[in-house]
Amino acid sequence: MTTTRKCFAVDLHDDPERVALYRHWHRASGPPAAVTAAIRADDIRELEIYLIGNRMFMIMEQGDRFDPAAKVERDAANEDVKAWDALMRTFQKTLPCGPEGSTWLEMERIYSLAEQP
């Protein structure tokens, strides 16, 4: 059983009240159960989001059965996931380096301690 780790970043609108509300939505039991179930059903084994200021960083560990194209299809057909995504997009803004309207851009790993002599 192998996992693949991916990392993503996105910015929130720089408004302390909105950032606090976004944090609130992500507390334990904050996201709708159907959204959490959809994430797990796609063989995403771990997902953590970190925040500093208004910049967020997400670490996602995917299992062997994870299929990004199939996930996009399933999410597009899931009303709960679509509603959650639409709500979350009201808090998020495009990173300066990303295409307009994009969220959660995948980051490139440039260093690994394990690869060092």
Side-chain angles (χ1 to χ4, degrees), residues 33-102:
V35 171
T36 301
I39 291 168
R40 289 183 172 139
D42 286 316
D43 202 19
I44 295 173
R45 299 180 182 169
E46 185 62 57
L47 194 149
E48 297 177 336
I49 299 174
Y50 294 83
L51 173 68
I52 185 164
N54 69 318
R55 178 143 305 161
M56 293 192 304
F57 174 72
M58 177 171 56
I59 301 171
M60 180 169 51
E61 292 186 1
Q62 307 160 342
D64 298 331
R65 294 180 294 106
F66 181 80
D67 178 344
K71 177 167 181 37
V72 167
E73 256 183 57
R74 282 190 295 275
D75 287 353
N78 185 321
E79 293 303 318
D80 293 311
V81 171
K82 288 187 337 187
W84 175 256
D85 183 57
L87 175 61
M88 293 304 103
R89 284 175 180 267
T90 68
F91 295 91
Q92 300 166 347
K93 67 178 188 175
T94 302
L95 287 170
C97 62
E100 186 60 36
S102 64

Side-chain angles (χ1 to χ4, degrees), residues 24-39:
H24 177 76
W25 275 110
H26 286 83
R27 72 194 186 287
S29 299
V35 171
T36 301
I39 291 168

